[in-house]
Amino acid sequence: MLAERFSPILAVICVWTASNCSGAIFRQYDLPELVCESPLIASGQIALSNGVPILSVGEILKGRTSFTRLNILSTSLGDMPAVSFTNEENVLLFLDEPRADGSTILFGGGDQGKWPRGPNSSGFSPVLSRASSEEIVCAVRDLVRINEMEGAESKSEKILEWLTTSDKIKQLLAIQYLSDDLLWPRDQHSGKISASANERRKTLDHFIGNLSQLAQSDEVSIRRDAIRALRFAPPDLVMPVIEKAGSDTNESVRSAVREVLTSMPEVPASVP
């Protein structure tokens, strides 16, 4: 069962100034989480005015705003990657709710709310970082549609379709969608998933075979995240896959194995 998330929390605190946020702890989101949590997602073109990037809104992919131009304010984020914009750059931005003057900041902190990714960007797998802007926009549109579907069953059908495609972007996003517990609605006040443990388990069991196959992908990030997503699976069904991944040539995959083993009950002592 998906008892916890694996997105690392970034301990960067931002203090109120005239142009940035207050008391927020910035964390690294997976792209499906970013789509789910961002109040506003917009594409358009950047114009620099005295160094301040201004987005001429071309399309709203999620949320609403009456502004056709948004001032994108920067935040002080310590060692996190700086956010850079160029004049006439076409971008997709994940944004906080705009203020009354049309100013806003990138959602989530750092540069994760801006696409395309820069050469020194961090936090997302190469599968996504090297994707074209058009591919990311299409993926975001699709994720928004999935989030708008009623019920875990309808969402599951779409996620299963993505898991079985040859498109590595969709494969990775589907794995992360499952791993981040996004199939089920959450209580608005407590944030707890409303579905019962039995309901969740019954739904997730349908994905074990596909995740086990993707845990052997030639793409490191897909192997790693598929292993992480298998933490909900009965050990007797997936232990051969976990054991094989334990000797993977990539350290991030081996690290994912160690994470999964700490959350699985009754793991055999012989497993590294």
Side-chain angles (χ1 to χ4, degrees):
M1 192 174 302
L2 301 188
E4 58 181 276
R5 299 187 181 194
F6 280 95
S7 296
I9 303 299
L10 302 182
V12 182
I13 307 297
C14 181
V15 181
W16 262 118
T17 69
S19 64
N20 53 23
C21 63
S22 168
I25 297 178
F26 293 101
R27 56 169 294 195
Q28 182 67 48
Y29 289 87
D30 290 331
L31 185 58
E33 284 184 301
L34 201 56
V35 172
C36 184
E37 299 292 340
S38 297
L40 181 67
I41 306 175
S43 64
Q45 189 174 78
I46 292 293
L48 296 178
S49 176
N50 296 323
V52 176
I54 299 173
L55 177 70
S56 294
V57 178
E59 179 184 359
I60 299 294
L61 287 80
K62 179 189 174 186
R64 294 182 180 180
T65 181
S66 59
F67 294 104
T68 59
R69 290 163 61 86
L70 294 167
N71 294 349
I72 313 301
L73 304 178
S74 62
T75 56
S76 177
L77 301 173
D79 294 332
M80 293 179 70
V83 185
S84 61
F85 294 89
T86 58
N87 206 39
E88 298 184 355
E89 181 181 15
N90 293 312
V91 296
L92 173 69
L93 302 182
F94 296 80
L95 301 164
D96 274 339
E97 289 284 1
R99 301 177 190 170
D101 62 356
S103 62
T104 184
I105 60 173
L106 296 180
F107 182 81
D111 64 350
Q112 62 185 311
K114 185 215 174 199
W115 299 75
R117 311 295 291 154
N120 298 316
S121 298
S122 63
F124 290 95
S125 72
V127 172
L128 298 179
S129 295
R130 65 176 176 248
S132 68
S133 296
E134 291 76 14
E135 288 175 312
I136 294 299
V137 167
C138 287
V140 169
R141 286 198 192 104
D142 286 342
L143 286 168
V144 170
R145 293 190 191 103
I146 292 173
N147 290 339
E148 292 172 346
M149 292 179 177
E150 292 291 336
E153 184 176 348
S154 297
K155 295 179 180 180
S156 294
E157 290 178 1
K158 193 65 178 179
I159 294 304
L160 183 59
E161 179 184 317
W162 282 21
L163 286 175
T164 56
T165 184
S166 60
D167 186 326
K168 284 184 166 54
I169 294 175
K170 288 185 176 180
Q171 287 177 357
L172 180 64
L173 295 179
I175 293 168
Q176 292 178 344
Y177 202 93
L178 293 174
S179 192
D180 294 330
D181 274 336
L182 299 179
L183 283 177
W184 295 275
R186 293 177 178 270
D187 182 88
Q188 292 184 352
H189 300 291
S190 68
K192 292 183 178 180
I193 294 172
S194 57
S196 68
N198 286 339
E199 181 183 353
R200 294 170 65 200
R201 181 57 178 272
K202 183 178 178 181
T203 298
L204 291 169
D205 279 351
H206 293 298
F207 298 104
I208 292 175
N210 299 107
L211 290 171
S212 296
Q213 289 182 349
L214 290 172
Q216 302 173 65
S217 170
D218 59 359
E219 183 69 45
V220 169
S221 56
I222 290 177
R223 294 203 305 275
R224 178 198 64 215
D225 285 9
I227 290 295
R228 286 174 171 168
L230 283 171
R231 68 191 184 275
F232 68 82
D236 60 319
L237 295 182
V238 297
M239 197 50 63
V241 176
I242 302 296
E243 288 178 338
K244 182 177 180 180
S247 59
D248 196 278
T249 57
N250 187 272
E251 167 56 26
S252 70
V253 178
R254 299 195 302 273
S255 176
V257 169
R258 293 191 291 271
E259 291 172 353
V260 169
L261 292 180
T262 61
S263 64
M264 272 188 168
E266 301 178 6
V267 177
S270 60
V271 177

